[in-house]
Amino acid sequence: MSAPATVAITGLRTFLGLRVAERLAARSPRMRVVGIDLRRPQRLERKTAFERVDLTDPASHAQLAEIFARERIEVVLHAAFRRDPTPDVELDHELETVGTLQLLHACAAAKVPRLVLASSTMLYGPRPDNPLYLAESRPLHGHPDAHCVRNRVEVEQLVGEWARAHAHARVTVLRCGWIMGPTHWDRVVRHFSRPVVPTLLGYDPLLQLIHEDDCVDAFEQAVLDERPGVFNLVASEPLPLSAMLRLGGLHSAPLPPALLYPLRDLASRAATGDPPAAFYDYLRWPWVADGERGWAAFGEPAYTTREAWISFVSSRRLRQYR
Amino acid sequence: MSDDERDAPATPALADALVGLRQRLEQSFAPPEEGGIDWMALYESARRRFAQVGGMRDIPAEIDDFGMDAAALADARTWLDWLYDRWWRVDVVGSENVPSGPCLFVANHSGLLPWDGLMLAHALDRHTPESPRARFLVADWIATLPFAAPWITRLGGVRACRENAERLLRTGRSVIAFPEGAKGAAKVFRQRYRVQRFGRGGVVRTALAARRPLVPVAVVGAEEAHPVLFKVETVARSIGIPFLPVTPTFPALGPLGLLPLPSKWSIEFGAPVDASDIGRDALRDDTLIWRVTEELRSSIQSMLDAGVRRRSSVWS
């Protein structure tokens, strides 16, 4: 089992896409990385080739298949997912769900042997009746109101069906927890970067993070070595939300759900198109994943949840001076 | 007046005044020679508690993977001890039956709030302080109750489901289960000490899968701590609890009525059922599982009957 010589990354401008591309390019001089996105990233390693493909374009599967065949792509890392959901629910669906379908068609046409999918433990869904430590075999309930989570559940289903239909292809799915660290930025990070963090009064679930470096490490390994299957990618030792806030010295505003949901409703719909329950339920009910299978395959993360959180909080303090 | 003094801003003067005021206050609230209240210490602890920005100094130290908070437990120890020794005066019978390793305790259940679980875990902690604290399982609706649920989690409660129990047993912690579940909590006063059906045999399956012994436990006294006269279900459903109990004190006395009555408790441990030599094949043997479940239930019932006969009154 040797490392692949050519790798394609969809969503080159995403956090994962860019970081994994940098790592791979730095790794060996023979490795060729083809990045695919709508726009060229501002900073790009010289060895990384860039191809412009719009996944919402109905003809994009042919375009992708042509690139994959021309470059003799051995592994595709599919990371073309929104960092934040947008109020344009239709567009998100076109990009994430239908875009994945386009990519899968292209992979089949170009006979790409391996696919790595970036997924999330948010897909298990926050539910009062969840056991702590959800195994990979648990059903993906998602969240009924969160269109981004709904799309990603559909993406996993599509990829699963595709893997069953194409026996030659090996698929790795990595479900990450909330990614935190000095540089990663998304709506979760934004939520915890507010001067006062709104929380739900009377609720204090265990939360689980993954440090951005551990996350990039695992994706790099998944691209380099063949490890088919579905894995949770989370840090150990989840912490209660209250302990995290106390640890970071963050001010929180605990509001009763009956007040918080209507209060946040307009803001939330303007920012993400979803009602606030779609996010705040993740601060209400448990959705902690069991990381043991992932640790066995990709090694134990260097950062625990507490350390990942401290890494984020200390860089958050520095950001104020930048 | 020198130049230095004239150029100095007003703030140092203010700071000096504040320091003086503080010294004055410290003198008045200085800890007394003997007895009395140390006001400064009280103020300091209150300030620490309410100051959100504790930063790294107030790192919550030991929170385990099921959310039990060692610091919260240490804080709660005073009143747990008080409930155990003074309020319910708990007697422990048959502690020689408690195995040394992790095991699954199966007890009768009563009352909406998990007092029996808290006291049983406390009794085990006193009996074997060196082993990890036993965790008690709580019903779904308690595990999702705002305000109560975080505290119950911090004190060692875990939502009752097989995955959680098996994981706890596998990682070397004892588990206290109340397989009567909601039916046990919903018993009205005239049904007291009549052990209800044990779910669907989940406890036995869990012990078999984790290869840990089962220990039957009879808790006498807890069923009188919250004597439920009758239940109101219509109102309760709308606020998310299975039923609203009407006790002699609740809801007549409001939240005060939630305080449990000071009945005299005794906790009896029965002979353990060793599940490890039954073999994993038994997991598929439903007849065997039902038989073991029924044996457990009847042994708890007979311990309860004996315990109730033995005592002279509910209160002593």
Side-chain angles (χ1 to χ4, degrees):
Chain A
M1 198 163 59
S2 63
T6 49
V7 177
I9 297 177
T10 62
L12 185 66
R13 277 168 59 90
T14 61
F15 168 80
L16 267 179
L18 203 54
R19 293 290 286 275
V20 174
E22 276 172 7
R23 287 279 190 90
L24 292 175
R27 196 172 170 85
S28 101
R30 288 190 310 281
M31 169 104 43
R32 182 165 169 81
V33 181
V34 180
I36 294 163
D37 209 317
L38 269 177
R39 273 178 295 155
R40 172 184 282 274
Q42 284 154 343
R43 190 167 56 97
L44 193 63
E45 299 283 330
R46 242 177 306 141
K47 283 188 304 175
T48 307
F50 175 76
E51 299 278 352
R52 188 190 178 281
V53 177
D54 182 358
L55 282 177
T56 58
D57 175 2
S60 56
H61 66 97
Q63 219 180 332
L64 283 171
E66 190 268 321
I67 296 167
F68 291 169
R70 165 163 44 87
E71 302 276 354
R72 291 202 193 82
I73 294 295
E74 292 170 52
V75 186
V76 172
L77 167 61
H78 186 29
F81 301 107
R82 287 226 179 266
R83 187 181 63 185
D84 298 318
T86 65
D88 194 342
V89 178
E90 284 296 311
L91 181 70
D92 283 7
H93 177 78
E94 285 297 312
L95 172 68
E96 300 196 331
T97 314
V98 186
T100 301
L101 212 49
Q102 304 272 15
L103 178 89
L104 292 176
H105 284 318
C107 286
K111 296 207 166 43
V112 174
R114 275 174 53 206
L115 176 66
V116 180
L117 175 71
S119 189
S120 162
T121 56
M122 282 176 87
L123 305 197
Y124 295 115
R127 291 160 73 87
D129 58 349
N130 269 344
L132 277 173
Y133 305 106
L134 299 157
E136 285 84 350
S137 54
R138 296 283 302 188
L140 300 175
H141 291 288
H143 189 288
D145 295 337
H147 73 274
C148 56
V149 177
R150 203 166 51 224
N151 288 342
R152 302 288 290 270
V153 170
E154 219 174 322
V155 164
E156 274 219 24
Q157 283 162 355
L158 289 173
V159 170
E161 282 163 24
W162 184 83
R164 278 189 293 281
H166 297 81
H168 70 277
R170 272 95 59 207
V171 178
T172 309
V173 178
L174 289 180
R175 296 184 185 147
C176 313
W178 277 348
I179 304 171
M180 290 241 175
T183 61
H184 183 252
W185 183 261
D186 64 4
R187 64 169 165 157
V188 179
V189 176
R190 175 159 12 87
H191 182 80
F192 288 107
S193 302
R194 291 198 176 110
V196 177
V197 182
T199 58
L200 288 161
L201 183 66
Y203 294 90
D204 190 17
L206 284 177
L207 291 178
Q208 187 180 42
L209 307 173
I210 177 84
H211 191 269
E212 54 183 45
D213 290 346
D214 288 324
C215 191
V216 174
D217 279 348
F219 273 93
E220 187 192 2
Q221 270 193 63
V223 168
L224 291 176
D225 302 337
E226 188 180 317
R227 290 197 178 93
V230 182
F231 304 94
N232 290 331
L233 188 57
V234 290
S236 57
E237 297 170 28
L239 277 180
L241 173 60
S242 63
M244 282 170 55
L245 293 171
R246 216 156 11 129
L247 190 60
L250 304 190
H251 292 276
S252 68
L255 298 171
L259 191 65
L260 180 75
Y261 285 173
L263 259 185
R264 300 287 316 159
D265 194 53
L266 269 182
S268 170
R269 279 182 201 276
T272 67
D274 289 330
F279 176 73
Y280 283 102
D281 279 357
Y282 286 91
L283 298 178
R284 188 174 189 179
W285 307 121
W287 54 287
V288 179
D290 183 357
E292 271 166 29
R293 226 171 91 80
W295 301 336
F298 297 99
E300 194 137 341
Y303 293 80
T304 62
T305 296
R306 172 189 300 251
E307 288 159 351
W309 174 252
I310 291 176
S311 160
F312 157 69
V313 169
S314 43
S315 68
R316 174 184 176 273
R317 293 211 170 123
L318 288 177
R319 270 179 205 172
Q320 297 168 356
Y321 301 105
R322 239 178 243 162
Chain B
M1 194 183 272
S2 72
D3 282 0
D4 286 357
E5 277 171 329
R6 212 178 312 127
D7 291 346
T11 32
L14 185 62
D16 284 348
L18 282 176
V19 167
L21 180 65
R22 196 189 158 93
Q23 278 166 355
R24 181 76 192 76
L25 283 173
E26 272 171 20
Q27 279 163 12
S28 13
F29 289 111
E33 297 297 318
E34 50 186 331
I37 300 167
D38 184 351
W39 288 99
M40 280 320 279
L42 264 186
Y43 162 73
E44 194 59 28
S45 73
R47 192 188 60 80
R48 274 176 173 279
R49 193 150 295 202
F50 289 106
Q52 284 263 334
V53 194
M56 301 304 218
R57 279 167 305 153
D58 286 349
I59 289 178
E62 289 159 41
I63 296 172
D64 80 350
D65 54 345
F66 277 85
M68 186 170 81
D69 188 339
L73 255 178
D75 283 351
R77 213 182 167 83
T78 323
W79 62 264
L80 282 179
D81 276 339
W82 181 82
L83 280 174
Y84 189 91
D85 292 324
R86 301 286 187 81
W87 195 247
W88 286 313
R89 295 141 290 148
V90 182
D91 279 338
V92 174
V93 185
S95 57
E96 69 281 357
N97 282 329
V98 179
S100 54
C103 50
L104 182 55
F105 295 95
V106 181
N108 58 312
H109 189 38
S110 58
L112 275 180
L113 295 171
W115 294 117
D116 40 5
L118 263 175
M119 287 297 110
L120 198 41
H122 206 59
L124 285 166
D125 189 45
R126 286 190 169 194
H127 177 64
T128 48
E130 68 283 352
S131 56
R133 198 177 171 92
R135 313 298 293 269
F136 56 97
L137 303 184
V138 295
D140 279 12
W141 75 272
I142 276 278
T144 57
L145 200 64
F147 304 105
W151 276 106
I152 288 169
T153 307
R154 275 168 220 162
L155 298 180
V158 175
R159 192 183 83 85
C161 68
R162 276 192 61 189
E163 291 93 335
N164 285 349
E166 276 181 35
R167 192 182 178 93
L168 284 167
L169 288 170
R170 211 175 56 229
T171 49
R173 285 164 286 190
S174 289
V175 173
I176 301 165
F178 300 95
E180 285 174 276
K183 287 192 302 305
K187 277 185 276 192
V188 294
F189 192 59
R190 66 184 149 73
Q191 292 172 304
R192 64 190 184 279
Y193 302 119
R194 298 262 64 85
V195 184
Q196 307 291 305
R197 176 168 61 83
F198 270 10
R200 298 174 207 168
V203 267
V204 177
R205 273 178 229 272
T206 305
L208 280 177
R211 305 183 143 269
R212 302 289 191 203
L214 284 152
V215 183
V217 185
V219 182
V220 176
E223 311 220 1
E224 279 99 358
H226 275 298
V228 178
L229 300 179
F230 55 92
K231 303 177 283 188
V232 184
E233 289 186 12
T234 41
V235 191
R237 297 267 177 210
S238 64
I239 54 172
I241 59 175
F243 63 89
L244 195 71
V246 176
T247 70
T249 53
F250 184 82
L253 297 184
L256 264 182
L258 280 176
L259 292 178
L261 298 179
S263 52
K264 162 83 180 167
W265 286 25
S266 79
I267 295 176
E268 183 173 357
F269 295 98
V273 180
D274 196 354
S276 57
D277 53 84
I278 301 181
R280 287 181 84 89
D281 295 342
L283 265 176
R284 284 190 295 276
D285 189 347
D286 285 342
T287 339
L288 178 77
I289 284 168
W290 276 102
R291 213 187 64 224
V292 177
T293 310
E294 187 45 37
E295 270 170 26
L296 269 176
R297 202 189 68 83
S298 59
S299 75
I300 292 171
Q301 184 67 68
S302 53
M303 280 194 291
L304 279 176
D305 292 342
V308 171
R309 267 199 306 277
R310 212 166 33 231
R311 65 182 183 175
S312 49
S313 135
V314 173
W315 312 112
S316 63

